[in-house]
Amino acid sequence: QVQLVESGGGSVQAGGSLRLSCAATGYTYRSPCMAWFRQAPGKEREGVATSCTMIGRTSYADSVKGRFTISRDYAKNTVYLQMDSLKPEDTAMYYCAAGPTFSMLKGAFGIWGQGTQVTVSS
């Protein structure tokens, strides 16, 4: 059973940076793809970035391309989301997810963390 624990959220002014971390424990080899999603109040959960070990690929939502970077430390079983040039519209609860396929769709992921709040003020 894979468990995910996020950390690193907080409050920052527009233009600032944050780095989110997601530590995975358990049988992680069964869930080689990791992703970050976010959900703002009243909105659907949306994919932000995904990274898949098997095929060495990453993908980003258009809204964060060039500002966010997903990376993985396999020795620590941790995935990171470096967020730069943050905007007020990035404000949301951010979730880490693990699954078997390369995807930006929430339905492709069966394992989720508890979320970490990111608030960007103007």
Side-chain angles (χ1 to χ4, degrees):
Q1 183 73 19
V2 177
Q3 293 184 321
L4 306 175
V5 179
E6 302 102 331
S7 61
S11 297
V12 65
Q13 289 191 327
S17 298
L18 283 173
R19 189 177 81 155
L20 306 183
S21 299
C22 173
T25 58
Y27 297 107
T28 56
Y29 68 92
R30 294 179 180 174
S31 299
C33 300
M34 303 286 289
W36 287 96
F37 287 76
R38 67 185 181 186
Q39 188 168 17
K43 293 188 176 181
E44 291 287 323
R45 189 171 298 190
E46 62 175 356
V48 174
T50 188
S51 173
C52 201
T53 305
M54 292 184 295
I55 55 178
R57 287 181 62 187
T58 59
S59 183
Y60 296 91
D62 288 343
S63 59
V64 306
K65 280 181 182 177
R67 301 188 298 121
F68 290 12
T69 304
I70 187 171
S71 61
R72 299 177 69 167
D73 184 330
Y74 295 100
K76 295 182 179 179
N77 262 348
T78 299
V79 61
Y80 303 97
L81 185 67
Q82 177 66 42
M83 305 186 294
D84 298 318
S85 302
L86 282 162
K87 304 176 181 180
E89 51 264 44
D90 294 318
T91 295
M93 185 70 80
Y94 282 71
Y95 298 89
C96 175
T101 58
F102 182 71
S103 177
M104 290 279 279
L105 300 177
K106 59 184 179 183
F109 295 87
I111 301 168
W112 295 85
Q114 82 287 353
T116 185
Q117 177 68 36
V118 171
T119 303
V120 184
S121 59
S122 58

